[in-house]
Amino acid sequence: MTKARRILFLALVCGAVIATSAVRATPAGAKSDGRRVVDFAELAGFAYTPPPDGAVWPADTLAGIPEAVRKLDGRRVSVSGFMLPVKMEAGRVKEFLILRNLMACCYGVPPAPNEWIVARSRLGVEPVQDTVTNYAGVLRVGARREEGFFIGIYELELE
């Protein structure tokens, strides 16, 4: 299975356990190191429908994303969520999803496209299970696809 298909499978087929596992909102604002604290209340606070796979995508990959969220593109941010590993090397997680809700099985409700962030780390990070964890890096906002498949609207390159 290709990386893009794994991401799509994990994000769309697996479901949220229960609403109480959702990441609690944290106050938005700037940290002393210049990062902006963002939370899923802000990132997922709007309805978003991705272009269908195989369709011609609009030139504006930010279409359908509110201006306040668009302004986060390219910013250093800090966000909290649950880790769902996608790619591991030598026991370290190189790519994973940061999820608003803890996803455990295929019997829940699939998350909306703005309820996960594709995170990448060049050095890899320790795997964390069932725990809300804080992640920092540069956030990219806009519809993304790999190998023709929609993978999300948020990417975080970890610092």
Side-chain angles (χ1 to χ4, degrees), residues 65-87:
I65 301 172
E67 186 64 30
V69 176
R70 289 176 179 220
K71 288 181 179 180
L72 296 172
D73 186 46
R75 298 267 322 257
R76 293 179 67 224
V77 302
S78 175
V79 63
S80 296
F82 296 96
M83 175 190 280
L84 180 62
V86 174
K87 180 181 177 185

